[in-house]
Amino acid sequence: QRSTNLRPTPGAPNEPTPQPRLAGKVTTDGSLTLTWPSVSGIRYRMQESDNLTGPWRTLSEVVATGNPTALKVTLPGAGQHYYRLVLP
């Protein structure tokens, strides 16, 4: 069974917080723009790693002001690179 995080919405039924799904697009300047569905006021932590098992490094913490949220990052050199969102 999948658990759902609920966010309080005074005076209305609680709404589930959407599960973030990252989308990435390489821009013309060679950077990467990561975009995900977000909820205003929720803090998201973007992390990166050279390996899926870590260690993970925090790139940025973003408080969403709308939906979706985007973050532009510099692409690393050659090799695989991984990104993930953490809800602290």
Side-chain angles (χ1 to χ4, degrees):
Q1 186 177 16
R2 189 173 134 188
S3 65
T4 303
N5 294 328
L6 295 178
R7 63 184 177 105
T9 50
N14 287 336
E15 298 175 17
T17 302
Q19 296 296 318
R21 296 191 188 278
L22 277 177
K25 182 177 181 180
V26 177
T27 59
T28 56
D29 65 2
S31 61
L32 175 66
T33 299
L34 298 166
T35 307
W36 64 93
S38 57
V39 175
S40 290
I42 299 291
R43 180 181 305 274
Y44 298 88
R45 180 181 300 145
M46 181 64 67
Q47 295 184 330
E48 67 174 342
S49 178
D50 297 326
N51 189 316
L52 277 175
T53 59
W56 292 91
R57 297 171 296 279
T58 297
L59 283 174
S60 180
E61 285 197 16
V62 177
V63 176
T65 58
N67 182 30
T69 296
L71 179 66
K72 189 174 183 178
V73 299
T74 302
L75 284 172
Q80 294 183 352
H81 208 67
Y82 302 93
Y83 296 91
R84 72 179 183 183
L85 279 174
V86 177
L87 297 169

